[in-house]
Amino acid sequence: MARACSNTMKFGSAAILIAMVMAIVVNSNVVAASRQYPGGRSLLQSHGALLIDYMGASGDTSLQFSDLQATVSAFPTLEFIFPLSFAIDADASGNTQNGVFSPYWSTSLDGASAQAFKQQNPNVKLMVSLAGFSQFVNGNTQNVNWYDPASTTDWVNNAVSSITGLVSTYNLDGVDVDYENFPSGSATFTTCIGQLISNLKSAGTISVASIAPFGSTSSIYADLFSNYGSSIDYVNYQFYADGLNTQSDYVNDFNTVSASFDPAKLLASVEVNGRGLQGNDFIAAAQQLSIAGVMIFDVDNSKSSNFALEQSVATFLTS
């Protein structure tokens, strides 16, 4: 009996060992298969449940927060961040104001509506996006340019004060930085923007910050990220501005950009009915990447399709 028991234990141990070896082989094959994607990235990619969608950027004066209610309600496990676009360091005539930011999105997106929208939707955050590409002045567009202030201290203090006011009025959670024009250089950009974000975060005024570089501004934002990356939560890189027409181009560009920014904070991005990959091609490219989430530009242009792109992206992010 004792010997029979011993043989049983030996055979049982051997069977377990064989099973373990087979499992290792199978798992190795799965891993090897997952590495067959060109460029060395795994086909078994991951994505964060985050959708950042710029709001007010294209000047739709009829846009309401309530327009998005059905879409937001349909995806309760997805985090939505809507950067109100844009607050600009300039008056209505385009004159710079030394760090005093004023809101230039539609008055239909008012403070009371913003607060009600957030109270109704715990999965929603609102941000203020700074600068943008251009400003409407007397019926014409004028570039919004970064300029080096005479005193970085005064600029930062004014910016902190004016943005703190916007945070209070609109019940905002964070700041997005979208300066796109640097005609006179960027000597003070890293210091001013880095200190602005850091001061707002350390004071508890905001909880989230993002930046929105693209090809020609990438090195400027990479310097900002290198010095203040711990205060920056997301990189809304504008891949649609990089002239990418195929999925492989998109994936390769994403991999290149990842070298300059923390990949864990980098979002894929798509422009509504605009430049770059669209629709299923964009989703297919995003499926080949490990991304923090997806950025869409913008809500205004998506309204006419009843936010079809938002729903498609949200379905992908929650799948």
Side-chain angles (χ1 to χ4, degrees), residues 90 93-96 133-137 140-145 181:
S93 298
N95 302 308
T96 58
F133 183 82
S134 60
Q135 175 186 4
F136 286 102
V137 177
N140 299 309
T141 58
Q142 174 178 305
N143 283 0
V144 176
N145 299 325
N181 302 297

Side-chain angles (χ1 to χ4, degrees), residues 26 105 144:
V26 171
W105 51 81
V144 176

